[in-house]
Amino acid sequence: MSRPGRILVINPNSSLSCTQGIAAALAPFGALGRFEVVRLEDGPPAIASWRDWHVVAEPLCRLVEREAAATYVIACVSDPGLDAVRSVTPRPVLGMFRCAVAAALTRAERFGVVGFVAASEARQRLALRAMGVEQQLAGWRPLDLPMEVLTDPKAPRTRIREAAKALASTGAKAIILGCTGMAGHVAAAEDAAGLPVIEPCAAAGAMALLATAPCQSEPEPI
């Protein structure tokens, strides 16, 4: 049985600063749901390569099998292990990239992505093709920074501003921050681009609350 209202948010990398950033981004939702943020302590420092993306699938499955929750969120903007984890639980499992894309499409027909590293593009395009919206991607720009630099309060902001501004010039009308490590840099991207910026933790948090809410048509327990 899942614990009532518990939303388990799993960072598939081992970065403490990234995990703390995810928790901070979800903090505004705390009054609305029971968000718990954890990390794979034995996971890679970041999901940077295809090998990283594949290797976390089984640990994610094992964690979900032993941790009961109403809803699960994979807190990486490459959605690693999403299909595998969905195979081991009947509960909703959300990927942050797909949530961010869905949110972006409520704001604009075309969007851009500020990526983590160049290798992330293929994985994110794979997800876009699965969603049937790859043609709505206006542009993609990687930062190619280490995770611990990305999560620094100031160090990556010049690069983030440059990437956001470049995406605006490609015709994007909304911008997705393509890594949870960028959660603290929304304002910098918005200021540079002059466009709505979608932060994946917030997008997934809102969708997780919706997925966790009981259906009003369900009968009351006797």
Side-chain angles (χ1 to χ4, degrees), residues 187-213:
E190 286 181 335
D191 179 66
L195 297 172
V197 171
I198 308 302
E199 196 287 298
C201 300
M207 197 167 291
L209 289 172
L210 180 63
T212 304

Side-chain angles (χ1 to χ4, degrees), residues 10-216:
I10 309 166
N11 178 11
N13 72 51
S14 61
S15 169
L16 182 59
S17 62
C18 182
T19 307
Q20 291 169 337
I22 294 165
L26 290 169
F29 295 97
L32 302 174
R34 291 185 54 207
F35 287 88
E36 296 180 34
V37 182
V38 300
R39 64 189 170 114
L40 290 183
E41 295 186 9
D42 295 330
I47 308 300
S49 67
W50 277 109
R51 184 175 185 178
D52 297 331
W53 191 84
H54 284 291
V55 80
V56 298
E58 180 57 26
L60 285 169
C61 288
R62 291 198 300 267
L63 191 153
V64 166
E65 286 176 319
R66 68 176 181 265
E67 290 285 343
T71 300
Y72 300 92
V73 179
I74 298 175
C76 169
V77 196
S78 285
D79 295 350
L82 183 63
D83 291 330
V85 174
R86 284 175 172 170
S87 76
V88 301
T89 177
R91 305 305 303 170
V93 182
L94 307 181
M96 281 195 171
F97 184 61
R98 285 164 172 79
C99 290
V101 171
L105 291 173
T106 68
R107 305 298 299 272
E109 285 298 310
R110 290 178 63 74
F111 58 88
V113 177
V114 179
F116 172 34
V117 293
S120 300
E121 182 175 5
R123 295 187 291 274
Q124 291 178 343
R125 284 186 178 273
L126 183 66
L128 293 175
R129 286 194 293 275
M131 297 175 74
V133 297
E134 187 180 14
Q135 72 279 7
Q136 290 169 260
L137 178 68
W140 199 95
R141 295 288 188 279
L143 297 181
D144 288 321
L145 295 171
M147 179 60 71
E148 299 311 308
V149 174
L150 198 62
T151 56
D152 184 90
K154 295 182 180 179
R157 289 201 172 175
T158 296
R159 295 279 288 277
I160 289 172
R161 288 189 183 101
E162 291 172 349
K165 189 174 180 179
L167 288 169
S169 72
T170 68
K173 300 303 181 184
I175 291 174
I176 295 171
L177 297 183
C179 177
T180 55
M182 301 182 211
H185 304 296
V186 176
E190 286 181 335
D191 179 66
L195 297 172
V197 171
I198 308 302
E199 196 287 298
C201 300
M207 197 167 291
L209 289 172
L210 180 63
T212 304
C215 177
Q216 293 184 0

